[in-house]
Structure formats: structure tokens, C-alpha cells
Amino acid sequence: MTTIITPVFVFIGVLFVFIGGLGILRLPDALCRSHAISKALTLGVSLMLIGLLIETEKPVACIKILLAIFFLFLSMPLSGHIFALYAVKKQNTDY
């Protein structure tokens, strides 16, 4: 069963990362780009880590993966938002 579920999670995660990359190329301004990449990468990498979590049998590795997912959800959206605010501030001061 895990041989089917793990690749599905990894594939969906890769798909989200790919869509986030397309968002960087297609969206018009820094706020939209930051939103696309931070949200898509957070979800995509988390899904890939969940696929790894399903495959892993060691409890210590499972705890480390869960901590990585927790800190990923804690840091990625916040850092994307901060970079976007800085980019908008920089754009507004360049007259």
C-alpha cells in the first residue's frame, strides 16, 4: 500500500512546486510572486516530506520529518511575506 501512496504524495508535491515556479514567471508584481512561491513551496515540500514520512520506519526519523514540516509551515509563508513587503517598500521609494 505504501508503494502506491508515497509516489502519489511526492508527485503531487512536485506538481505544486512546479506550479509555484510558473507563478514566479507569470505573475505581474512582487506581492503576487511572493505569495505564489511561498504558498506553493510550503505545500509542495510538505507533501513530499509526508511521502517520505509514510515510507520511513524509524521513529526518530519520523519525529525529525514532522519537525521539519512544522518549521517549514512556520517560516516559509512568513519569510515570503517579509520579502514581498521589502520589495514593495523598495519599489515605492525608487522614484
Side-chain angles (χ1 to χ4, degrees):
M1 185 69 173
T2 60
T3 58
I4 297 170
I5 295 174
T6 300
V8 168
F9 272 103
V10 172
F11 178 74
I12 294 172
V14 168
L15 192 65
F16 272 104
V17 171
F18 180 72
I19 290 170
L22 287 179
I24 288 281
L25 296 174
R26 300 286 297 167
L27 292 174
D29 61 345
L31 281 173
C32 293
R33 290 178 186 158
S34 167
H35 179 75
I37 198 68
S38 65
K39 304 307 183 264
L41 278 180
T42 302
L43 187 58
V45 174
S46 296
L47 286 172
M48 288 189 269
L49 286 173
I50 289 171
L52 179 65
L53 181 69
I54 293 169
E55 194 69 27
T56 304
E57 296 185 11
K58 295 181 181 179
V60 176
C62 291
I63 292 171
K64 289 179 183 179
I65 293 170
L66 289 173
L67 280 173
I69 292 171
F70 172 73
F71 286 118
L72 185 71
F73 268 97
L74 192 66
S75 63
M76 281 289 288
L78 181 65
S79 62
H81 183 70
I82 289 172
F83 282 131
L85 287 178
Y86 178 73
V88 168
K89 181 179 178 184
K90 184 83 169 155
Q91 187 179 30
N92 289 337
T93 59
D94 291 339
Y95 287 106

